[in-house]
Amino acid sequence: MQNFTVREKAELPLSIAQLTKLLLLIVLMLAVLNVIGHVAQYVLGFGAIELLHMNRESNVPTFFSSSILLFSATLLLFTYYITNQQHDKDRNYWLLLSVIFTGLSIDEAVSIHERLGNPVQQVVGIHKWFYYAWVIPAGLLLVVLGIGLFKFLMRLPTDTRTRFLIAGGLYVGGALGVEMIGGYYHFLYGQENITYNLIATLEETLEMLGVVFFIRAILLHCKHHLGGQFSLLIK
């Protein structure tokens, strides 16, 4: 019977650098097409390109965002599998992160978080900076997760921790920071204008960039710090 090495059994079709460049190119294309679409709609008077609109649901950007979040969850689950084999004391944190990213992927696909806005507004009232009121429970949850994951983060290798923080900063900066700016602008001037839609494009682009850099960070961590069979799967 012929023997197969781990490399022969499974290997990523692209190197980490190639995969990162491909994903970044897709993000750039989606962002540029959105800007062109908004200019065409609000300056030249054409209709909206719904299929590529970053601030709409059930289209190409939504599918891409949900897919890369799910890919991140899968990588995190595989990382848990390897660290569990190694009896790493932090293995359950990787599993927790995988569950979180699976939830984010589902939320991206069906926009659960946006449905929280009205109930939260009924409790706290309407405020222009928290017009998208779901950012309040999301921010509180982020603080709780930050506290819970702090020790795990500090135990990570310095290069992995730095990459995770950069990726997280991009994602949270878009998902909460720019989202609040968008909500503020929506409160004052509505959604049907080019400025609001450019803000929304920036928000979604930052979220996508954060996930792409997180994928890169996980793969680099696995390649350089997990060792053994996993390092053979990544070029």
Side-chain angles (χ1 to χ4, degrees), residues 70-198:
L70 187 59
F71 183 49
S72 299
T74 303
L75 290 175
L76 288 163
L77 183 61
F78 194 73
T79 306
Y80 163 74
Y81 172 76
I82 297 299
T83 53
N84 188 50
Q85 286 188 325
Q86 298 173 346
H87 303 290
D88 189 317
K89 67 178 181 179
D90 287 328
R91 59 189 180 275
N92 289 331
Y93 285 104
W94 296 105
L95 181 60
L96 173 62
L97 286 171
S98 179
V99 172
I100 291 171
F101 272 78
T102 300
L104 289 173
S105 176
I106 295 171
D107 178 68
E108 187 67 32
V110 299
S111 298
I112 298 172
H113 67 277
E114 293 184 1
R115 293 172 172 81
L116 297 176
N118 289 335
V120 175
Q121 277 187 347
Q122 291 176 5
V123 175
V124 302
I126 297 176
H127 188 280
K128 57 186 177 182
W129 279 109
F130 296 104
Y131 187 63
Y132 295 156
W134 68 265
V135 301
I136 298 174
L140 293 174
L141 180 60
L142 182 64
V143 171
V144 172
L145 286 174
I147 295 172
L149 295 171
F150 179 77
K151 291 183 178 180
F152 164 69
L153 190 63
M154 291 299 102
R155 286 194 292 266
L156 288 173
T158 302
D159 57 341
T160 300
R161 180 169 63 250
T162 300
R163 293 185 184 111
F164 276 17
L165 289 173
I166 291 172
L170 286 169
Y171 187 84
V172 174
L176 293 183
V178 180
E179 179 82 351
M180 289 177 64
I181 295 173
Y184 176 83
Y185 199 89
H186 182 187
F187 178 82
L188 294 178
Y189 306 108
Q191 289 181 305
E192 294 305 320
N193 57 78
I194 189 170
T195 302
Y196 173 82
N197 281 280
L198 289 178

Side-chain angles (χ1 to χ4, degrees), residues 27 167 169-175 178 201-211:
V27 173
L170 286 169
Y171 187 84
V172 174
V178 180
T201 297
L202 175 61
E203 172 212 331
E204 296 294 337
T205 301
L206 287 175
E207 289 183 24
M208 291 179 185
L209 287 174
V211 179

Side-chain angles (χ1 to χ4, degrees), residues 17-103:
Q18 290 171 331
L19 178 62
T20 303
K21 288 178 182 178
L22 175 62
L23 294 176
L24 288 176
L25 179 61
I26 295 173
V27 173
L28 177 62
M29 289 175 58
L30 290 173
V32 170
L33 288 172
N34 263 260
V35 172
I36 293 173
H38 297 326
V39 171
Q41 179 181 359
Y42 293 104
V43 177
L44 302 179
F46 293 94
I49 306 175
E50 298 291 337
L51 186 63
L52 297 173
H53 201 305
M54 282 186 170
N55 202 36
R56 298 288 192 270
E57 300 177 11
S58 303
N59 58 13
V60 174
T62 300
F63 175 77
F64 177 72
S65 294
S66 181
S67 296
I68 57 177
L69 284 165
L70 187 59
F71 183 49
S72 299
T74 303
L75 290 175
L76 288 163
L77 183 61
F78 194 73
T79 306
Y80 163 74
Y81 172 76
I82 297 299
T83 53
N84 188 50
Q85 286 188 325
Q86 298 173 346
H87 303 290
D88 189 317
K89 67 178 181 179
D90 287 328
R91 59 189 180 275
N92 289 331
Y93 285 104
W94 296 105
L95 181 60
L96 173 62
L97 286 171
S98 179
V99 172
I100 291 171
F101 272 78
T102 300

